[in-house]
Amino acid sequence: MAKVMTSGGEALIKALADENVDIIFGYPGGAALHIYDAIYQQDRVQHILVRHEQAATHAADGFARATGKPGVCLVTSGPGATNAITGIATAYMDSIPLVVISGQVPNHLIGTDAFQETDMMGISRPIVKHSFLVQKPEEIPVIVKKAFHIATSGRPGPVVIDVPKNLTDPNEKFEYKFPSDLYLRSFALYNEAENSEVKKAVKLLTEAERPVIYAGGGAINSNAAEEIYEFGKLMGCPVTNTLMGLGVYPASDEQFVGMLGMHGTYEANMVMHEADLIMAIGARFDDRITNNPNKFGLQAKKIHIDSDPSSIDKIIDVDVAMTGNAKKVISQINKELKAMNFDNKKFDPWMKKAMQWRADHGLNHNMLDQKNPGDIILPQQVIQSAYKATDGKAFVTSDVGQHQMFAAQYYHFNEPRKWINSGGLGTMGFGLPAAMGVKFAFPDETVACITGEGSIQMCIQELSTCGQYGLPIKIINLNNRALGMVKQWQDMQYGGRYSSISYEDSLPDFIKLAESYGHVGMKVEKLSELQAAMEECFALKDKLVFLDVYVDPDEHVYPMLKAGGDMSEMYLSKTEKTFE
Amino acid sequence: MNHIALLMENQPGALSRVIGLFSQRGYNIDSLSVAPTQDETLSRLTMTIGEEGADINQVLKQLYKLVDVVMVQNLNEADALTLELAIIKLNKTKAEVEGLLKNYEFEREILDEKDNYTVFKALGDTQEIENLLSELKKEEFLEVTRSGTLGMTKGNESLATNDQTKISYD
Ligand SMILES: Cc1ncc(C[n+]2csc(CCOP(=O)(O)OP(=O)(O)O)c2C)c(N)n1
Ligand SMILES: [Mg+2]
């Protein structure tokens, strides 16, 4: 084969193409200009120009969450790099594979406080899985290959490649060689679990009386939905998902007791509290799940499957630990259960009990049909309405706040990768750019962004990007004229002293705002008009619609776990709670 | 005290990742020594971590997760030798220092005496060095510099590696 000569900038883009990347999100600037020139001169990799680097990272992140493939973004040095930080941290906290390429000042200026110099390696260090500072242009293809491998393998995460400008010089060419193999020293990956551990787990599972399956984001990352469904059916016991795991087990299945944790359903939290066996799959016993870890699952034996050995025994000590890929480990367990013809009938009373809890205090699914005299819209009704209008089939991204919790509770996800939210970092501003990433990945699918008037303003500039690329996203704004989640805490813990949570008089007219970007804006204030508006919004297939829904500003998210309590200690409404 | 031996890639930023991990996760490093090995692509570290706060297994797992970290070993759990060097200066004559040290077991050597100040080295177990220092704290003048603990397992067990994981693509 003839030698291919490339500059560093060309090598970088060519290596991305050779990694099968066809889309990257970015924003140009001085240190990245050689790279942008290389982008201009090829057509294998499409570059999407966002309006803020934070949006580039969230868009790449949304793309990754929806597809399971790594998301890629490109930013310049200094302010470009620092603007990307929030998005990198967001991906890091949720274990999302990202490759972030940042321009850097030329080698000889590093350390001199040069114009737009930031120590990107240093500033990103605690929020990346790994990072590379390119030292020679020839090593770019190998670094790209390593970066993708590291970002996507084991427990995924973001990887930064910092590229000094002089190493992308178009005048300095070298031979381009994309490696076919990689060598990484002692890079441990875990796949299957030890057979002895599988046996131990199966023994605990089959000897239990009140087991529960608790699956999180790691189960989605390892594409284990099918295996977990089969496992659920073999066990015939309650299944719950974390905020990050929604969709990995179908919400419409009768064994599904909803989300658990801080704003989990009553039945899911009760099941966790009363269980005698907790089977955690790709979930990390985060403090939003366990509530007080010292009071967590005291009656239960615990089995934990995770691809990251450091997640095991970190918060909660477990009886059986299986470091491995959830998909493979669950298959191993399923095989054992099938081989022994396990009869799960004995869990029926336990399952019945879960259903009784649901009947007692489960989510109110008749809410949408309620006629209230003032015609006021409850936020939950907006989610129910969106669910109805989309047949539960949309990709739903969200921001952070009450609207996010209502979406998680009331939009029932039957498939993984459809619910896309920042669970770990809780980044307001994530929803819209993430929806762009999803829409680029799935142009023919319905993509909705469920947001609040606070969050949407954190990346509202992306309405312009949506205009440029014609992205018909549906933005459902649960407008409660306040930073609702903060207000809720101030109601519940600060005697209703509303410190800095409102901006009612200065909210933009979202309809005009959307229109000024060339989109459609719609406003709904009455419950009686909600469903029709929602149907119309989703029917406008090739338009971005900003649906501004005025909702009850006083509604709280319930259930809510009592701070410092166990999982059975919940507020159920403004007047009811399960504890003294 | 926990002694950890670690082999890592001799790459820019590798050491700051290891150290950063400690501050990020709220662990404390009592001592740290680092130098290249006979293989110039690898550096070797020995770290001492206090008993308080840190769950040592978590520390080991978090360290091993770093891509630049090739091997980690808990020397406390292995059959290992540990050793620390201290260089100490006191406002005393050589004879006075020799008197002070006579009850200690560790290896020592007077390195210099000038203007009534004596510099000596002490080479021994970290605990012995600690004991000496707490005794010397009573002295009016004391300057000390320590290597941090160094450690190695006995017998055929070794941290050295040349294992490369080959990752092939079709
Ligand atoms: C970037 C960022 N800043 C602050 C917060 C803290 N915070 C969490 S929820 C919330 C209120 C969000 O308001 P809005 O988007 O209107 O949603 P609502 O709760 O009203 O539905 C705030 C300020 C955050 N999560 N992210
Ligand atoms: Mg709001």
Side-chain angles (χ1 to χ4, degrees):
Chain A
M1 219 163 57
K3 272 191 188 178
V4 182
M5 303 298 286
T6 60
S7 69
E10 289 163 345
L12 184 62
I13 301 305
K14 201 167 158 45
L16 292 180
D18 287 345
E19 267 297 331
N20 299 317
V21 172
D22 43 32
I23 188 164
I24 67 177
F25 303 88
Y27 208 92
L33 286 184
H34 294 333
I35 304 173
Y36 273 88
D37 193 46
I39 292 176
Y40 188 87
Q41 300 183 49
Q42 54 84 55
D43 56 10
R44 289 169 72 193
V45 179
Q46 186 194 7
H47 178 269
I48 305 302
L49 177 66
V50 294
R51 299 297 178 269
H52 187 296
E53 289 86 352
Q54 181 184 347
T57 52
H58 290 333
D61 179 323
F63 176 93
R65 291 182 203 234
T67 59
K69 292 193 274 186
V72 184
C73 46
L74 171 60
V75 298
T76 191
S77 67
T82 55
N83 273 349
I85 291 294
T86 299
I88 299 173
T90 303
Y92 180 74
M93 289 296 281
D94 290 343
S95 308
I96 304 302
L98 279 196
V99 174
V100 180
I101 299 159
S102 51
Q104 184 52 280
V105 300
N107 260 348
H108 68 277
L109 290 180
I110 290 182
T112 65
D113 299 324
F115 176 64
Q116 294 195 331
E117 180 185 359
T118 285
D119 174 10
M120 182 58 164
M121 294 288 284
I123 208 169
S124 64
R125 200 211 66 237
I127 52 164
V128 295
K129 187 169 173 192
H130 195 58
S131 47
F132 295 93
L133 175 61
V134 178
Q135 291 174 312
K136 288 181 291 204
E138 300 87 320
E139 65 184 18
I140 286 175
V142 176
I143 287 182
V144 167
K145 183 138 199 117
K146 279 188 183 167
F148 277 82
H149 179 75
I150 293 168
T152 54
S153 57
R155 179 176 182 173
V159 176
V160 162
I161 308 178
D162 201 30
V163 195
K165 182 173 186 179
N166 57 315
L167 305 185
T168 55
D169 189 338
N171 299 314
E172 283 181 31
K173 305 259 181 182
F174 57 91
E175 188 185 350
Y176 176 86
K177 271 190 255 158
F178 192 69
S180 53
D181 299 321
L182 258 191
Y183 291 90
L184 286 167
R185 206 149 26 186
S186 282
F187 186 75
L189 283 179
Y190 306 87
N191 286 308
E192 307 217 315
E194 301 278 337
N195 246 330
S196 56
E197 297 305 300
V198 174
K199 289 242 152 67
K200 271 193 232 164
V202 169
K203 185 165 183 314
L204 289 186
L205 285 164
T206 51
E207 284 176 1
E209 298 294 329
R210 303 183 306 280
V212 55
I213 301 169
Y214 138 59
I220 294 185
N221 282 343
S222 56
N223 299 314
E226 231 173 89
E227 289 74 12
I228 291 177
Y229 183 73
E230 187 181 17
F231 176 55
K233 289 293 142 192
L234 286 166
M235 288 296 293
C237 70
V239 183
T240 174
N241 288 161
T242 67
L243 177 67
M244 294 310 300
L246 292 177
V248 81
Y249 194 86
S252 56
D253 186 86
E254 64 212 11
Q255 283 164 245
F256 189 65
V257 291
M259 178 172 82
L260 78 164
M262 178 67 112
H263 292 298
T265 63
Y266 174 74
E267 58 270 31
N269 288 341
M270 289 307 291
V271 160
M272 287 295 285
H273 186 69
E274 297 283 331
D276 70 348
L277 178 78
I278 295 174
M279 169 83 170
I281 309 173
R284 58 190 173 89
F285 297 97
D286 159 87
D287 53 275
R288 282 289 183 272
I289 297 300
T290 61
N291 210 9
N292 185 341
N294 298 323
K295 298 181 184 167
F296 174 80
L298 298 180
Q299 311 172 38
K301 292 229 161 62
K302 294 159 197 100
I303 304 171
H304 192 179
I305 304 176
D306 208 287
S307 62
D308 175 0
S310 71
S311 283
I312 289 171
D313 291 340
K314 184 171 70 176
I315 313 280
I316 300 289
D317 287 337
V318 298
D319 299 274
V320 180
M322 290 186 277
T323 310
N325 175 295
K327 188 182 180 75
K328 295 189 178 155
V329 178
I330 297 293
S331 307
Q332 288 174 281
I333 292 175
N334 289 347
K335 212 169 133 196
E336 291 285 326
L337 288 173
K338 278 187 275 185
M340 65 193 278
N341 265 327
F342 176 61
D343 181 3
N344 64 30
K345 280 233 163 42
K346 67 166 172 165
F347 301 142
D348 286 355
W350 168 233
M351 197 62 234
K352 253 202 199 108
K353 192 160 183 194
M355 289 305 107
Q356 187 55 48
W357 279 320
R358 170 173 291 171
D360 293 343
H361 294 293
L363 300 174
N364 183 355
H365 288 284
N366 298 320
M367 216 176 264
L368 186 59
D369 305 323
Q370 260 166 41
K371 299 277 175 276
N372 53 27
D375 220 7
I376 293 173
I377 303 173
L378 292 175
Q380 297 90 326
Q381 294 172 319
V382 186
I383 311 298
Q384 294 177 337
S385 165
Y387 181 85
K388 221 171 139 184
T390 56
D391 217 6
K393 297 207 170 97
F395 281 94
V396 176
T397 73
S398 98
D399 273 297
V400 176
Q402 292 183 317
H403 62 271
Q404 173 192 26
M405 292 303 136
F406 289 131
Q409 291 176 332
Y410 286 90
Y411 197 102
H412 297 296
F413 296 92
N414 279 330
E415 288 167 78
R417 302 193 178 281
K418 289 259 164 130
W419 164 241
I420 288 168
N421 86 127
S422 164
L425 197 66
T427 310
M428 289 171 67
F430 175 79
L432 176 56
M436 302 188 323
V438 179
K439 193 70 192 169
F440 275 113
F442 296 101
D444 300 328
E445 303 283 328
T446 304
V447 181
C449 166
I450 291 179
T451 185
E453 79 303 316
S455 296
I456 192 68
Q457 292 189 78
M458 285 215 179
C459 275
I460 191 87
Q461 75 285 343
E462 298 308 316
L463 285 175
S464 172
T465 311
C466 294
Q468 178 174 356
Y469 296 97
L471 302 176
I473 292 162
K474 311 302 172 193
I475 299 174
I476 315 295
N477 189 34
L478 273 60
N479 192 336
N480 54 8
R481 282 83 74 203
L483 300 174
M485 187 54 97
V486 179
K487 186 176 164 195
Q488 173 169 349
W489 282 62
Q490 291 176 346
D491 272 330
M492 296 175 73
Q493 288 174 26
Y494 298 91
R497 291 185 296 281
Y498 294 146
S499 178
S500 300
I501 49 94
S502 67
Y503 30 52
E504 175 128 33
D505 297 337
S506 52
L507 276 180
D509 178 335
F510 286 112
I511 312 310
K512 283 192 194 149
L513 183 73
E515 285 169 0
S516 78
Y517 282 106
H519 306 308
V520 174
M522 289 164 57
K523 182 170 173 173
V524 194
E525 289 179 278
K526 293 186 183 143
L527 181 60
S528 51
E529 292 164 6
L530 176 63
Q531 193 58 31
M534 193 65 79
E535 303 285 348
E536 189 185 343
C537 161
F538 282 100
L540 285 170
K541 288 274 178 244
D542 47 5
K543 281 285 184 191
L544 184 151
V545 182
F546 193 113
L547 184 64
D548 191 20
V549 190
Y550 271 53
V551 296
D552 183 352
D554 296 321
E555 186 61 330
H556 286 175
V557 183
Y558 293 110
M560 179 167 171
L561 289 173
K562 173 194 161 196
D566 65 39
M567 288 194 81
S568 74
E569 295 181 286
M570 289 171 262
Y571 297 93
L572 298 174
S573 72
K574 284 186 184 167
T575 53
E576 301 157 282
K577 52 187 190 191
T578 62
F579 56 93
E580 282 315 304
Chain B
M1 235 176 312
N2 291 289
H3 300 297
I4 297 176
L6 182 152
L7 214 52
M8 69 178 191
E9 299 285 349
N10 191 359
Q11 282 285 330
L15 183 59
S16 71
R17 276 186 240 275
V18 170
I19 293 172
L21 183 83
F22 281 80
S23 60
Q24 190 180 343
R25 303 257 168 206
Y27 314 144
N28 258 325
I29 310 182
D30 287 343
S31 83
L32 168 72
S33 94
V34 55
T37 63
Q38 70 280 13
D39 173 349
E40 67 278 10
T41 66
L42 291 173
S43 294
R44 183 172 174 129
L45 278 79
T46 317
M47 283 179 278
T48 307
I49 298 164
E51 300 286 343
E52 279 159 47
D55 164 358
I56 190 69
N57 284 324
Q58 256 300 308
V59 175
L60 295 172
K61 287 195 270 189
Q62 293 289 353
L63 283 169
Y64 194 58
K65 226 165 91 174
L66 296 173
V67 174
D68 283 332
V69 170
V70 177
M71 291 274 246
V72 194
Q73 194 175 36
N74 184 356
L75 294 178
N76 292 39
E77 283 184 0
D79 186 12
L81 300 162
T82 57
L83 200 58
E84 175 160 3
L85 170 69
I87 301 176
I88 299 167
K89 191 197 288 182
L90 292 170
N91 185 3
K92 287 197 185 311
T93 62
K94 196 172 159 179
E96 285 170 326
V97 168
E98 275 165 352
L100 251 178
L101 297 182
K102 69 175 183 303
N103 291 330
Y104 288 92
E105 302 256 306
F106 52 74
E107 208 182 308
R108 68 282 195 127
E109 183 184 347
I110 306 271
L111 301 173
D112 186 59
E113 182 188 15
K114 186 181 172 192
D115 308 333
N116 258 342
Y117 286 84
T118 300
V119 178
F120 66 97
K121 77 172 189 200
L123 184 66
D125 180 82
T126 295
Q127 195 53 53
E128 285 182 303
I129 305 265
E130 297 267 343
N131 293 347
L132 170 70
L133 287 174
S134 65
E135 191 58 33
L136 292 181
K137 269 190 196 154
K138 297 179 205 138
E139 302 298 326
E140 218 152 82
F141 179 89
L142 168 67
E143 186 179 0
V144 60
T145 177
R146 299 164 64 177
S147 65
T149 309
L150 299 176
M152 188 176 282
T153 48
K154 299 178 191 166
N156 76 346
E157 206 180 328
S158 164
L159 197 54
T161 176
N162 250 321
D163 291 358
Q164 300 244 354
T165 310
K166 180 177 172 191
I167 297 141
S168 292
Y169 295 81
D170 351 289

